[in-house]
Amino acid sequence: MRIEPTAPYHSAQDALRVLETVARHPSGASDTELARRTGLGAERLTALLRMLRREGYVEQVGDGAYVTGDTLRRLTSAHDRERALRDKLQHTLDRLRDSVGAAVYLSRYLDGEVRVTQYAAGPNTPAVNEWVDFRCSAHATAVGKSLLTQLDHNARREHLSRYKMARLTSRTITSDKLLLSRLESQPATVPVLDLQEYAVGTVCAAVPLTAGSSVGCLAVSLPVEHAHRLKRAAETLNRSATPVVLSLTI
């Protein structure tokens, strides 16, 4: 199974280099020291440190040096790490929901299945009605297509062989040849779309997440009358994906 690295993955790798350097300096590491140790340029390092501070991975002490933050300590602790990870991811999803004004989903491809592992919705940002099990409808959803895009050709075919490509709306792709062709040509940096393919009246977009040896995606859904907001919402997800990849990788 091939996993395509994405921009958030590379950003998370850079962030991990920063965190590893900070962790090796319990009394604190200056930005000058971090730049020297990681080889990152000043602009890149400043942006990463801003994100790491916002997410609680590092803290600044009195002399301006950086030390490990509470989030990093919780995620690297053997005690209740899974709960800490889930809480951290939920906090990030809730913030994204409020930022884009739409329901936001975190999905993973686990044990050969499409799974929505967490989501953030609300009274004014309702989640998609799962009228057909997401595991059976990867061909029709932005989430499913984004996850399949990150697999190699054989893994995609194997997945589709287990699930009939049912026509859920008039826009649903039911040809495996056509779907596989579109997945093959999908650029890794471009959001995958579902324009009323899963449910009439709903549009969705998903951006890939690559964390270690697993694949995932962040997705957003909107009522079709708000379709004009979909592109900007997807761009916001893509810019905000690095903290999610980082949480999944640590």
PDB file of all heavy atoms in Angstrom, residues 95-116:
ATOM      1  N   ARG A  95     -12.487  23.767  17.091  1.00  0.00           N
ATOM      2  CA  ARG A  95     -11.985  25.077  16.663  1.00  0.00           C
ATOM      3  C   ARG A  95     -12.135  25.248  15.153  1.00  0.00           C
ATOM      4  O   ARG A  95     -12.519  26.320  14.667  1.00  0.00           O
ATOM      5  CB  ARG A  95     -10.521  25.231  17.072  1.00  0.00           C
ATOM      6  CG  ARG A  95      -9.979  26.656  16.869  1.00  0.00           C
ATOM      7  CD  ARG A  95      -8.570  26.772  17.404  1.00  0.00           C
ATOM      8  NE  ARG A  95      -7.654  25.914  16.686  1.00  0.00           N
ATOM      9  CZ  ARG A  95      -6.675  25.216  17.257  1.00  0.00           C
ATOM     10  NH1 ARG A  95      -6.494  25.267  18.557  1.00  0.00           N
ATOM     11  NH2 ARG A  95      -5.865  24.476  16.530  1.00  0.00           N
ATOM     12  N   LEU A  96     -11.850  24.182  14.394  1.00  0.00           N
ATOM     13  CA  LEU A  96     -12.010  24.244  12.948  1.00  0.00           C
ATOM     14  C   LEU A  96     -13.471  24.434  12.557  1.00  0.00           C
ATOM     15  O   LEU A  96     -13.786  25.192  11.636  1.00  0.00           O
ATOM     16  CB  LEU A  96     -11.468  22.969  12.305  1.00  0.00           C
ATOM     17  CG  LEU A  96      -9.954  22.890  12.129  1.00  0.00           C
ATOM     18  CD1 LEU A  96      -9.551  21.505  11.648  1.00  0.00           C
ATOM     19  CD2 LEU A  96      -9.478  23.944  11.143  1.00  0.00           C
ATOM     20  N   ARG A  97     -14.365  23.736  13.238  1.00  0.00           N
ATOM     21  CA  ARG A  97     -15.804  23.905  12.969  1.00  0.00           C
ATOM     22  C   ARG A  97     -16.209  25.368  13.131  1.00  0.00           C
ATOM     23  O   ARG A  97     -16.913  25.925  12.274  1.00  0.00           O
ATOM     24  CB  ARG A  97     -16.614  23.036  13.938  1.00  0.00           C
ATOM     25  CG  ARG A  97     -18.124  23.235  13.851  1.00  0.00           C
ATOM     26  CD  ARG A  97     -18.782  22.775  15.132  1.00  0.00           C
ATOM     27  NE  ARG A  97     -18.252  23.500  16.280  1.00  0.00           N
ATOM     28  CZ  ARG A  97     -18.267  23.053  17.532  1.00  0.00           C
ATOM     29  NH1 ARG A  97     -18.757  21.869  17.810  1.00  0.00           N
ATOM     30  NH2 ARG A  97     -17.768  23.795  18.513  1.00  0.00           N
ATOM     31  N   ASP A  98     -15.762  25.979  14.198  1.00  0.00           N
ATOM     32  CA  ASP A  98     -16.102  27.384  14.431  1.00  0.00           C
ATOM     33  C   ASP A  98     -15.440  28.295  13.412  1.00  0.00           C
ATOM     34  O   ASP A  98     -16.006  29.318  13.010  1.00  0.00           O
ATOM     35  CB  ASP A  98     -15.698  27.789  15.846  1.00  0.00           C
ATOM     36  CG  ASP A  98     -16.457  27.019  16.921  1.00  0.00           C
ATOM     37  OD1 ASP A  98     -17.529  26.461  16.602  1.00  0.00           O
ATOM     38  OD2 ASP A  98     -15.974  26.960  18.063  1.00  0.00           O
ATOM     39  N   SER A  99     -14.246  27.928  12.964  1.00  0.00           N
ATOM     40  CA  SER A  99     -13.514  28.755  12.005  1.00  0.00           C
ATOM     41  C   SER A  99     -14.155  28.720  10.624  1.00  0.00           C
ATOM     42  O   SER A  99     -14.301  29.756   9.967  1.00  0.00           O
ATOM     43  CB  SER A  99     -12.061  28.281  11.913  1.00  0.00           C
ATOM     44  OG  SER A  99     -11.351  28.989  10.921  1.00  0.00           O
ATOM     45  N   VAL A 100     -14.567  27.535  10.166  1.00  0.00           N
ATOM     46  CA  VAL A 100     -15.130  27.419   8.814  1.00  0.00           C
ATOM     47  C   VAL A 100     -16.645  27.538   8.807  1.00  0.00           C
ATOM     48  O   VAL A 100     -17.256  27.671   7.743  1.00  0.00           O
ATOM     49  CB  VAL A 100     -14.714  26.092   8.135  1.00  0.00           C
ATOM     50  CG1 VAL A 100     -13.204  25.991   8.049  1.00  0.00           C
ATOM     51  CG2 VAL A 100     -15.291  24.883   8.861  1.00  0.00           C
ATOM     52  N   GLY A 101     -17.272  27.460   9.974  1.00  0.00           N
ATOM     53  CA  GLY A 101     -18.722  27.559  10.025  1.00  0.00           C
ATOM     54  C   GLY A 101     -19.411  26.371   9.388  1.00  0.00           C
ATOM     55  O   GLY A 101     -20.405  26.509   8.673  1.00  0.00           O
ATOM     56  N   ALA A 102     -18.882  25.172   9.648  1.00  0.00           N
ATOM     57  CA  ALA A 102     -19.428  23.954   9.055  1.00  0.00           C
ATOM     58  C   ALA A 102     -18.968  22.756   9.876  1.00  0.00           C
ATOM     59  O   ALA A 102     -18.012  22.846  10.647  1.00  0.00           O
ATOM     60  CB  ALA A 102     -18.971  23.804   7.612  1.00  0.00           C
ATOM     61  N   ALA A 103     -19.679  21.643   9.714  1.00  0.00           N
ATOM     62  CA  ALA A 103     -19.272  20.407  10.380  1.00  0.00           C
ATOM     63  C   ALA A 103     -17.938  19.933   9.812  1.00  0.00           C
ATOM     64  O   ALA A 103     -17.695  20.027   8.612  1.00  0.00           O
ATOM     65  CB  ALA A 103     -20.338  19.329  10.187  1.00  0.00           C
ATOM     66  N   VAL A 104     -17.073  19.428  10.697  1.00  0.00           N
ATOM     67  CA  VAL A 104     -15.737  18.985  10.314  1.00  0.00           C
ATOM     68  C   VAL A 104     -15.545  17.544  10.797  1.00  0.00           C
ATOM     69  O   VAL A 104     -16.007  17.175  11.888  1.00  0.00           O
ATOM     70  CB  VAL A 104     -14.652  19.901  10.922  1.00  0.00           C
ATOM     71  CG1 VAL A 104     -13.259  19.397  10.595  1.00  0.00           C
ATOM     72  CG2 VAL A 104     -14.822  21.323  10.419  1.00  0.00           C
ATOM     73  N   TYR A 105     -14.867  16.742   9.979  1.00  0.00           N
ATOM     74  CA  TYR A 105     -14.723  15.315  10.253  1.00  0.00           C
ATOM     75  C   TYR A 105     -13.257  14.889  10.177  1.00  0.00           C
ATOM     76  O   TYR A 105     -12.512  15.347   9.312  1.00  0.00           O
ATOM     77  CB  TYR A 105     -15.509  14.486   9.225  1.00  0.00           C
ATOM     78  CG  TYR A 105     -16.910  14.963   8.998  1.00  0.00           C
ATOM     79  CD1 TYR A 105     -17.157  16.060   8.164  1.00  0.00           C
ATOM     80  CD2 TYR A 105     -18.000  14.338   9.608  1.00  0.00           C
ATOM     81  CE1 TYR A 105     -18.441  16.529   7.959  1.00  0.00           C
ATOM     82  CE2 TYR A 105     -19.292  14.797   9.401  1.00  0.00           C
ATOM     83  CZ  TYR A 105     -19.503  15.892   8.573  1.00  0.00           C
ATOM     84  OH  TYR A 105     -20.784  16.358   8.369  1.00  0.00           O
ATOM     85  N   LEU A 106     -12.875  13.972  11.061  1.00  0.00           N
ATOM     86  CA  LEU A 106     -11.571  13.317  10.987  1.00  0.00           C
ATOM     87  C   LEU A 106     -11.831  11.860  10.639  1.00  0.00           C
ATOM     88  O   LEU A 106     -12.587  11.167  11.335  1.00  0.00           O
ATOM     89  CB  LEU A 106     -10.837  13.405  12.325  1.00  0.00           C
ATOM     90  CG  LEU A 106      -9.543  12.591  12.452  1.00  0.00           C
ATOM     91  CD1 LEU A 106      -8.500  13.064  11.448  1.00  0.00           C
ATOM     92  CD2 LEU A 106      -8.989  12.676  13.872  1.00  0.00           C
ATOM     93  N   SER A 107     -11.234  11.398   9.540  1.00  0.00           N
ATOM     94  CA  SER A 107     -11.452  10.032   9.096  1.00  0.00           C
ATOM     95  C   SER A 107     -10.132   9.318   8.912  1.00  0.00           C
ATOM     96  O   SER A 107      -9.117   9.929   8.573  1.00  0.00           O
ATOM     97  CB  SER A 107     -12.235  10.010   7.777  1.00  0.00           C
ATOM     98  OG  SER A 107     -13.485  10.648   7.944  1.00  0.00           O
ATOM     99  N   ARG A 108     -10.160   7.989   9.103  1.00  0.00           N
ATOM    100  CA  ARG A 108      -8.961   7.161   8.945  1.00  0.00           C
ATOM    101  C   ARG A 108      -9.308   5.934   8.120  1.00  0.00           C
ATOM    102  O   ARG A 108     -10.460   5.496   8.087  1.00  0.00           O
ATOM    103  CB  ARG A 108      -8.432   6.711  10.318  1.00  0.00           C
ATOM    104  CG  ARG A 108      -8.259   7.815  11.361  1.00  0.00           C
ATOM    105  CD  ARG A 108      -7.066   8.704  11.085  1.00  0.00           C
ATOM    106  NE  ARG A 108      -5.824   7.975  11.095  1.00  0.00           N
ATOM    107  CZ  ARG A 108      -5.176   7.591  12.197  1.00  0.00           C
ATOM    108  NH1 ARG A 108      -5.679   7.842  13.393  1.00  0.00           N
ATOM    109  NH2 ARG A 108      -4.020   6.943  12.115  1.00  0.00           N
ATOM    110  N   TYR A 109      -8.297   5.394   7.459  1.00  0.00           N
ATOM    111  CA  TYR A 109      -8.456   4.110   6.778  1.00  0.00           C
ATOM    112  C   TYR A 109      -7.822   3.070   7.679  1.00  0.00           C
ATOM    113  O   TYR A 109      -6.596   2.963   7.764  1.00  0.00           O
ATOM    114  CB  TYR A 109      -7.778   4.142   5.409  1.00  0.00           C
ATOM    115  CG  TYR A 109      -8.181   3.000   4.511  1.00  0.00           C
ATOM    116  CD1 TYR A 109      -9.437   2.984   3.907  1.00  0.00           C
ATOM    117  CD2 TYR A 109      -7.316   1.938   4.264  1.00  0.00           C
ATOM    118  CE1 TYR A 109      -9.819   1.934   3.080  1.00  0.00           C
ATOM    119  CE2 TYR A 109      -7.687   0.887   3.433  1.00  0.00           C
ATOM    120  CZ  TYR A 109      -8.942   0.895   2.853  1.00  0.00           C
ATOM    121  OH  TYR A 109      -9.322  -0.147   2.029  1.00  0.00           O
ATOM    122  N   LEU A 110      -8.654   2.311   8.394  1.00  0.00           N
ATOM    123  CA  LEU A 110      -8.185   1.390   9.418  1.00  0.00           C
ATOM    124  C   LEU A 110      -8.660  -0.024   9.112  1.00  0.00           C
ATOM    125  O   LEU A 110      -9.859  -0.254   8.909  1.00  0.00           O
ATOM    126  CB  LEU A 110      -8.712   1.818  10.793  1.00  0.00           C
ATOM    127  CG  LEU A 110      -8.290   3.207  11.290  1.00  0.00           C
ATOM    128  CD1 LEU A 110      -9.077   3.588  12.532  1.00  0.00           C
ATOM    129  CD2 LEU A 110      -6.800   3.236  11.563  1.00  0.00           C
ATOM    130  N   ASP A 111      -7.728  -0.961   9.086  1.00  0.00           N
ATOM    131  CA  ASP A 111      -8.053  -2.368   8.845  1.00  0.00           C
ATOM    132  C   ASP A 111      -8.885  -2.539   7.579  1.00  0.00           C
ATOM    133  O   ASP A 111      -9.842  -3.328   7.537  1.00  0.00           O
ATOM    134  CB  ASP A 111      -8.794  -2.968  10.050  1.00  0.00           C
ATOM    135  CG  ASP A 111      -7.970  -2.907  11.325  1.00  0.00           C
ATOM    136  OD1 ASP A 111      -6.744  -3.122  11.242  1.00  0.00           O
ATOM    137  OD2 ASP A 111      -8.539  -2.635  12.401  1.00  0.00           O
ATOM    138  N   GLY A 112      -8.533  -1.771   6.550  1.00  0.00           N
ATOM    139  CA  GLY A 112      -9.215  -1.892   5.270  1.00  0.00           C
ATOM    140  C   GLY A 112     -10.591  -1.269   5.213  1.00  0.00           C
ATOM    141  O   GLY A 112     -11.358  -1.543   4.284  1.00  0.00           O
ATOM    142  N   GLU A 113     -10.912  -0.414   6.183  1.00  0.00           N
ATOM    143  CA  GLU A 113     -12.238   0.194   6.224  1.00  0.00           C
ATOM    144  C   GLU A 113     -12.148   1.715   6.366  1.00  0.00           C
ATOM    145  O   GLU A 113     -11.230   2.232   7.005  1.00  0.00           O
ATOM    146  CB  GLU A 113     -13.059  -0.353   7.400  1.00  0.00           C
ATOM    147  CG  GLU A 113     -13.278  -1.855   7.391  1.00  0.00           C
ATOM    148  CD  GLU A 113     -14.220  -2.307   6.285  1.00  0.00           C
ATOM    149  OE1 GLU A 113     -14.788  -1.459   5.579  1.00  0.00           O
ATOM    150  OE2 GLU A 113     -14.380  -3.530   6.126  1.00  0.00           O
ATOM    151  N   VAL A 114     -13.124   2.404   5.769  1.00  0.00           N
ATOM    152  CA  VAL A 114     -13.253   3.854   5.922  1.00  0.00           C
ATOM    153  C   VAL A 114     -13.981   4.118   7.230  1.00  0.00           C
ATOM    154  O   VAL A 114     -15.096   3.619   7.448  1.00  0.00           O
ATOM    155  CB  VAL A 114     -14.055   4.455   4.745  1.00  0.00           C
ATOM    156  CG1 VAL A 114     -14.377   5.917   5.008  1.00  0.00           C
ATOM    157  CG2 VAL A 114     -13.287   4.291   3.437  1.00  0.00           C
ATOM    158  N   ARG A 115     -13.376   4.880   8.107  1.00  0.00           N
ATOM    159  CA  ARG A 115     -13.999   5.160   9.399  1.00  0.00           C
ATOM    160  C   ARG A 115     -13.912   6.656   9.718  1.00  0.00           C
ATOM    161  O   ARG A 115     -12.829   7.249   9.637  1.00  0.00           O
ATOM    162  CB  ARG A 115     -13.313   4.376  10.527  1.00  0.00           C
ATOM    163  CG  ARG A 115     -13.331   2.867  10.331  1.00  0.00           C
ATOM    164  CD  ARG A 115     -12.736   2.140  11.526  1.00  0.00           C
ATOM    165  NE  ARG A 115     -12.557   0.719  11.284  1.00  0.00           N
ATOM    166  CZ  ARG A 115     -13.521  -0.199  11.386  1.00  0.00           C
ATOM    167  NH1 ARG A 115     -14.729   0.188  11.758  1.00  0.00           N
ATOM    168  NH2 ARG A 115     -13.276  -1.472  11.147  1.00  0.00           N
ATOM    169  N   VAL A 116     -15.041   7.242  10.076  1.00  0.00           N
ATOM    170  CA  VAL A 116     -15.066   8.599  10.619  1.00  0.00           C
ATOM    171  C   VAL A 116     -14.838   8.434  12.120  1.00  0.00           C
ATOM    172  O   VAL A 116     -15.713   7.954  12.841  1.00  0.00           O
ATOM    173  CB  VAL A 116     -16.397   9.311  10.339  1.00  0.00           C
ATOM    174  CG1 VAL A 116     -16.427  10.685  11.013  1.00  0.00           C
ATOM    175  CG2 VAL A 116     -16.608   9.460   8.833  1.00  0.00           C
TER     176      VAL A 116
END
